[in-house]
Amino acid sequence: EDLLESGGGSVQAGGSLRLSCTGSGYFYMASYSLAWFRQSPGREREAVASLSSDGNAIYADSVKGRFTISKDNTRDIFYLQMTSLQPEDTGMYYCAAGLAIPSWLLLVPGEHYTHRGQQGTQVTVSS
């Protein structure tokens, strides 16, 4: 594992959480495209947000306006700020990073994300 997720928890609908993804010592995050994925029971893993290496953020339609992806290159950490959480946001959230990912693949799970957190962090939103 070279990425580690944290920050999940249980909140009521309308609440907020900030997830963090920390890279290991040799991981130079500034060069990578970064992403957050989530997986809920019975559903495939889906991308929710991605941040290209040059700082362009894109979001799944379901989270636009509510989630914000950002990074701190000085500390090799990136974040997912989640607001106005809804029960359908419930799931295990994973972070990932990859080099030279074309824009059309940024929100697509796959092998192009060569670094992936394995542990995940659980987000549970109750109504």
Side-chain angles (χ1 to χ4, degrees):
E1 298 180 4
D2 50 13
L3 296 176
L4 183 63
E5 305 92 343
S6 62
S10 296
V11 298
Q12 291 189 327
S16 300
L17 286 171
R18 188 177 78 160
L19 307 184
S20 299
C21 180
T22 305
S24 64
Y26 65 85
F27 189 78
Y28 187 56
M29 194 170 287
S31 302
Y32 286 78
S33 296
L34 310 169
W36 286 96
F37 299 87
R38 68 184 176 195
Q39 188 157 19
S40 304
R43 300 182 63 177
E44 293 186 356
R45 186 171 296 194
E46 61 173 341
V48 295
S50 182
L51 185 65
S52 66
S53 57
D54 58 359
N56 292 315
I58 57 174
Y59 300 93
D61 289 343
S62 59
V63 307
K64 281 181 182 176
R66 300 189 298 121
F67 289 13
T68 303
I69 186 171
S70 62
K71 64 179 178 178
D72 182 346
N73 289 332
T74 64
R75 299 173 61 202
D76 278 346
I77 298 177
F78 67 103
Y79 306 98
L80 185 68
Q81 179 68 50
M82 306 185 294
T83 63
S84 301
L85 283 162
Q86 300 301 316
E88 53 266 34
D89 295 317
T90 294
M92 188 70 79
Y93 283 69
Y94 299 88
C95 59
L99 288 169
I101 299 178
S103 58
W104 60 89
L105 288 178
L106 287 173
L107 287 181
V108 178
E111 296 300 319
H112 45 281
Y113 281 102
T114 53
H115 298 267
R116 284 167 279 183
Q118 300 298 317
Q119 179 173 306
T121 188
Q122 177 68 36
V123 172
T124 302
V125 185
S126 57
S127 58

